[in-house]
Amino acid sequence: MRRSRLLRRRGARDAAAPSAPLAVPPAPRPYVRALGLAATALVGAWLGLLIVGSVDAPVGPMDTKMALRPSLTGGTKVNVSPLGALELRSHAAPLRLDVDVDQLDQERASALVDHPERLEGLEGEITSDVQAGAGDLALRSAVAVVVGAGALGLAVYRRPRRALAASGLALALLAASGTTAYATWNPKSVLEPKFSGLLAGAPSVVGNARSIVADFDVYQRELARLVTNVTKLYEATSTLPAYQPDPSTTRVLHVSDIHLNPAAWQIIKSLVDQYDIDVIIDTGDTMDHGTSAENGFLDPVRDLGAPYVWVRGNHDSDETQKAVEKLAKEKGSDVHVLDEGVARNVAGLRLAGWGDPQFTPDRSVKPQGDPRERKDGRRLALALRAQRSAGTPVDIAIGHNPVLVKETDGLVPLALAGHTHERSHETLPHKTRLMIQGSTGGGGLRAVEGEKPQKVSASVLYLDRDDGGLQAWDEITLGGLGLTTAEVTRHLAGDEPDSPPSESPSPSPPSPSSSSSTKTPSSPPPSGGPSPGTSGSP
């Protein structure tokens, strides 16, 4: 009992004594809270810009997507897929302007080509489009950073006041970055652009950037003239005279050296329609650098309206050939790749060819010269002899370099080549006729390298459907960049190669025993009675 009373007394004393305070963690310092809030605002703003901070903006005939992205160096980046990108040091703010060129709007581009007079107001239209797009982008970016920072702040702090503080800080940072960009804006940044991808070759094509900027008004007028001439060129091809040979004639369209000129496909398709072409033979250099990024250029081949026969040029890589072979394997495709002397029957003709053994798109690859061409030319000749021994002789030997196909002399009646960008034809010592095509792409990107632009060249060959013999051919020449002439000249196989064609006084179609080169009036000739040879401005 004593012990229990003693214990009760001790318990009462302990209960009356004040209890020891619990340990409380120290409050965070103010700068730590500020850094945490700033980090939350920055990350939230970045996520907001990444998710919803872009706008679709039409700029002239192009559809673009504009976006702001965090960056330590700032600047502007224009992405032109699949060609590459152009970077400008336009400002020094921690925001980079990204402009992605999605596609060329066909309707707006066609309206511009059909009405070239609209080019006079194109500069103002583009300026207005860019300003409208920039305004939409600024508004969208402001909403994106506010929502992004607020949502992340609410998730981190779980307090509405903290979330609102993060949103306000993000909006203030965006405004400060915009002010810095405006203050450091450098309009002369276009003088020192940085190119990547295929656009890395742009300086060698367009020339010195300073001269372009200094003489921009001159370049603007040249652009207007170029678009006008492209329109006239399309009009010229749409009204080319149609020659109607007898039913036993096979019509072959020989093209070459397109070099990535998209206008060439429209020209080829127009010629196919006007001349009722049976087969197109392309003797190579369809590409310019042979990269996989260029393969999309081949898509129009599906819609040319005639079988398409292709042989590799020295600007076409193995990747290019694989892309053409992929088109050939598509269901319903009428695309044919010739290589290693393997013969194919197309449109009643037996064709065999050999791809160019050298891939020399630029000076980084050392060419092996004519000896390599002659070596593979002899291998093609061996394949042709085997075909003839088997009772299946080849009608046309096809290659890119004339040096290669010259080795087939005496084994075929006709050999086709390109490569030189100069049209010519000759009869070889053993009676094989060699026809070298000019550039159907007008030299492509390389058309601007010389003092005068290259002309667009193609030929329509008329061959006997029974024996494959050449009866006649039309040489079609269209003015290159900056020119507006269109000329079609008829030649007969019996004429001397270098003899000039005689001029026909009659606008009616010539008989098979004459050659002609006549001038058309300024207005298109009436349908049903055009002259097969024309020369003049369309």
Side-chain angles (χ1 to χ4, degrees), residues 99-172:
V99 181
D100 295 332
V101 179
D102 291 337
Q103 63 181 357
L104 185 70
D105 187 273
Q106 185 174 0
E107 183 176 348
R108 295 199 302 270
S110 299
L112 189 62
V113 172
D114 294 337
H115 303 282
E117 67 276 2
R118 296 182 182 178
L119 279 171
E120 296 180 0
L122 184 60
E123 181 181 359
E125 179 184 347
I126 291 178
T127 301
S128 177
D129 290 342
V130 171
Q131 290 175 348
D136 293 343
L137 179 61
L139 181 60
R140 175 69 69 90
S141 299
V143 173
V145 299
V146 168
V147 173
L152 185 61
L154 192 60
V156 171
Y157 296 108
R158 301 182 183 276
R159 295 179 182 178
R161 293 182 63 182
R162 290 279 185 174
L164 288 174
S167 295
L169 181 57
L171 185 60

Side-chain angles (χ1 to χ4, degrees), residues 314 358-360 362-370 372-373:
N314 63 298
Q358 305 185 79
F359 177 56
T360 55
D362 50 49
R363 296 180 182 178
S364 64
V365 181
K366 183 178 180 180
Q368 301 180 37
D370 290 351
R372 179 65 189 275
E373 300 289 341

Side-chain angles (χ1 to χ4, degrees), residues 261-279:
N261 185 349
W265 298 126
Q266 179 66 29
I267 295 169
I268 292 173
K269 182 172 177 57
S270 179
L271 292 173
V272 168
D273 295 338
Q274 290 294 316
Y275 279 82
D276 195 17
I277 295 297
D278 295 299
V279 58

Side-chain angles (χ1 to χ4, degrees), residues 248-310:
S248 66
T249 299
T250 300
R251 306 162 191 80
V252 177
L253 177 61
H254 181 198
V255 300
S256 189
D257 296 87
I258 293 175
H259 285 291
L260 281 180
N261 185 349
W265 298 126
Q266 179 66 29
I267 295 169
I268 292 173
K269 182 172 177 57
S270 179
L271 292 173
V272 168
D273 295 338
Q274 290 294 316
Y275 279 82
D276 195 17
I277 295 297
D278 295 299
V279 58
I280 305 164
I281 297 180
D282 186 345
T283 47
D285 271 7
T286 309
M287 302 303 189
D288 207 60
H289 291 87
T291 62
S292 57
E294 296 172 293
N295 290 343
F297 178 73
L298 296 169
D299 290 345
V301 168
R302 302 183 181 94
D303 305 317
L304 293 179
Y308 178 79
V309 179
W310 181 86

Side-chain angles (χ1 to χ4, degrees), residues 26 43 91 95 99 128 132 185 220 224 282 336 351 395 410 483 489 507:
V43 174
H91 58 276
L95 285 176
V99 181
S128 177
W185 184 257
Q220 188 178 23
D282 186 345
H336 308 270
L351 313 173
D395 297 311
L483 302 178
T489 307

Side-chain angles (χ1 to χ4, degrees), residues 287-484:
M287 302 303 189
D288 207 60
H289 291 87
T291 62
S292 57
E294 296 172 293
N295 290 343
F297 178 73
L298 296 169
D299 290 345
V301 168
R302 302 183 181 94
D303 305 317
L304 293 179
Y308 178 79
V309 179
W310 181 86
V311 68
R312 185 180 68 250
N314 63 298
H315 283 260
D316 303 317
S317 64
D318 291 336
E319 287 294 326
T320 304
Q321 180 155 326
K322 290 177 182 177
V324 183
E325 290 172 345
K326 184 178 179 180
L327 291 177
K329 294 177 182 178
E330 292 181 354
K331 185 178 180 180
S333 172
D334 213 349
V335 177
H336 308 270
V337 177
L338 299 182
D339 200 8
E340 298 184 347
V342 178
R344 297 182 182 273
N345 292 320
V346 184
L349 297 171
R350 192 154 179 83
L351 313 173
W354 201 286
D356 198 297
Q358 305 185 79
F359 177 56
T360 55
D362 50 49
R363 296 180 182 178
S364 64
V365 181
K366 183 178 180 180
Q368 301 180 37
D370 290 351
R372 179 65 189 275
E373 300 289 341
R374 294 191 181 95
K375 178 181 178 181
D376 279 11
R378 289 191 290 269
R379 296 168 69 184
L380 175 59
L382 185 63
L384 296 180
R385 289 191 181 94
Q387 290 287 333
R388 190 166 62 179
S389 299
T392 55
V394 170
D395 297 311
I396 306 176
I398 302 169
H400 178 66
N401 195 317
V403 175
L404 187 152
V405 293
K406 280 184 177 180
E407 297 296 321
T408 66
D409 184 20
L411 299 173
V412 288
L414 180 62
L416 302 181
H419 184 62
T420 63
H421 292 204
E422 292 288 341
R423 179 195 284 130
S424 64
H425 54 90
E426 62 177 303
T427 301
L428 300 176
H430 297 287
K431 305 305 181 184
T432 291
R433 185 183 291 272
L434 171 62
M435 304 190 76
I436 302 172
Q437 189 57 265
S439 173
T440 309
L445 297 179
R446 302 167 192 274
V448 299
E449 293 180 353
E451 294 182 1
K452 295 182 178 180
Q454 295 185 26
K455 295 184 178 182
V456 175
S457 301
S459 298
V460 178
L461 315 180
Y462 303 102
L463 296 101
D464 188 278
R465 195 177 296 273
D466 297 327
D467 59 12
L470 181 66
Q471 298 174 336
W473 70 94
D474 287 343
E475 292 182 347
I476 301 165
T477 306
L478 302 175
L481 299 178
L483 302 178
T484 59

